[in-house]
Every structure is written in structure tokens, then in C-alpha cells.
Amino acid sequence: MTESDPSETLFERIIAREIPADIVHETDTTLAFRDISPQAATHVLVVPKTRYRNVGELAAADPALLADVIATAHRVAELDGLTDSGYRVVFNTGADAGQTVFHVHAHVLGGEQLGQFGRYAGGPDAG
Ligand code: 5GP
């Protein structure tokens, strides 16, 4: 992180229970809670309790913690009954990917047939 980063993001406040969230699973190192604006029947965010800005920083600094995040994502899928039907894990990283909260988080999506992903649907090649 850089000195210009805000000292706290929304997700630190959720981890500290200063902001309510629908928590679905917690481990010593991670917290999983439902996205406030779900994009699928299941849409859960998994965060490490230690803040890194994005998945690249997390992978470089603490690969074991990244493994914890993925293991929690899989546990969330088990808890929501998604392991047979399938699910998707996404780390938005930076502006083009639409990252808005700079505390690394995995999106766990599933519970219904998911759409394709990739190019912006409203972009110049749309239609
Ligand atoms: P990003 O766009 O950074 O990959 O994902 C941030 C996610 O945080 C978005 O999907 C957004 O809906 C979710 N979000 C934003 N504010 C809140 C909140 O106050 N509570 C919860 N549970 N999710 C939030």
C-alpha cells in the first residue's frame, strides 16, 4: 500500500463489525459476507483480514493467505450448495476490471447459470 491510500476501506469496517454485513463464514484469517448488490443468486465476497490492495499484492506478500481466501471461497460454495452446479471466483483488479474497493476480495458467484464475461457489453463492438 502507498501513503496516499486511505487508512481504512469499507471492508476493514465490516471486518471490525463497525458496518453490518450478512456474514456467511469466518476463519482466523478471512471473512465472507454477501454482496450488498448481488449479481447472481449467490454473490459472496471473501476478504483476508489483513489488507492488501489487490490480488497481485496479496500473492506476492503472503501466498498462504491467498490460499486461505480461495479455501474460504470454496467453503462458501459448499455452504450455498454450489459445488455440483458450479461457481465462479473473480478478483477484479484495477480500473478496467471495475475494482471499487481497494482491499483485495474474491467474488464468489453461482446458484444459477452465469453469463459470459470479458468485453464490456456497452463497448464499441456492442450490438
Ligand atoms: P469491486 O467492484 O471492487 O470488485 O467489488 C466491490 C463490491 O463491494 C461490489 O460488488 C459492491 O456491490 C460491494 N459493496 C459495496 N458496498 C458494500 C457494502 O456496504 N456491503 C457489502 N456487503 N457489499 C458492498
Side-chain angles (χ1 to χ4, degrees):
M1 288 181 283
T2 67
E3 288 184 15
S4 62
D5 287 329
S7 59
E8 237 186 17
T9 69
L10 173 66
F11 292 167
E12 272 87 71
R13 301 191 66 199
I14 288 175
I15 291 164
R17 308 310 204 261
E18 292 169 7
I19 293 178
D22 184 358
I23 293 170
V24 295
H25 190 59
E26 182 169 18
T27 69
D28 287 347
T29 57
T30 66
L31 188 70
F33 50 92
R34 296 199 188 278
D35 197 291
I36 203 167
S37 178
Q39 303 299 306
T42 287
H43 186 175
V44 171
L45 303 173
V46 180
V47 299
K49 291 180 179 176
T50 302
R51 181 183 172 200
Y52 295 96
R53 283 178 58 84
N54 58 52
V55 70
E57 284 193 9
L58 171 58
D62 194 343
L65 183 56
L66 175 56
D68 288 351
V69 170
I70 298 294
T72 295
H74 182 68
R75 183 70 188 127
V76 166
E78 288 177 339
L79 291 170
D80 267 21
L82 308 181
T83 51
D84 287 342
S85 52
Y87 64 96
R88 182 177 291 158
V89 179
V90 175
F91 290 92
N92 289 330
T93 306
D96 273 1
Q99 184 178 6
T100 59
V101 179
F102 291 88
H103 178 132
V104 58
H105 50 282
H107 295 255
V108 182
L109 299 152
E112 62 184 302
Q113 180 69 56
L114 299 174
Q116 295 295 318
F117 62 98
R119 183 165 292 125
Y120 178 49
D125 296 333

